């Protein structure tokens, strides 16, 4: 049976658990290093997911089905 892909929230909870364990300071050095490496990998994965979500959110769908980047043109000072 294939392993279910973890959600963003699952990965965030795993990262929080790693941070809590490392902050407690009661983890042997070798295990701490492995947890740190896993934490860095989780952090990069979470950042990538957030960046992808941000890119999706900043696009608006046009009437013809094309996407357009959402810009702050309307907030610029008008002279």
């Amino acid at each position: 049976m294939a392993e279910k892909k973890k959600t963003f929230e699952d990965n965030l909870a795993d990262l929080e658990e790693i941070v809590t364990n490392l902050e407690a300071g009661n983890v042997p050095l070798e295990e701490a290093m492995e947890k740190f490496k896993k934490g860095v990998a989780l952090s990069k994965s979470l950042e990538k997911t957030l960046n992808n979500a941000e890119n999706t959110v900043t696009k608006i769908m046009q009437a013809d089905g094309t996407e357009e980047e959402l810009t702050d043109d309307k907030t610029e000072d008008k002279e």
Side-chain angles (χ1 to χ4, degrees), residues 10 12 41 67:
D10 293 335
L12 184 58
E67 293 180 345

Side-chain angles (χ1 to χ4, degrees), residues 6-20 42 46:
K6 287 190 170 188
T7 65
F8 177 86
E9 290 78 11
D10 293 335
N11 286 332
L12 184 58
D14 288 348
L15 180 59
E16 289 173 344
E17 182 180 347
I18 288 170
V19 170
T20 300
L42 281 170
L46 291 166

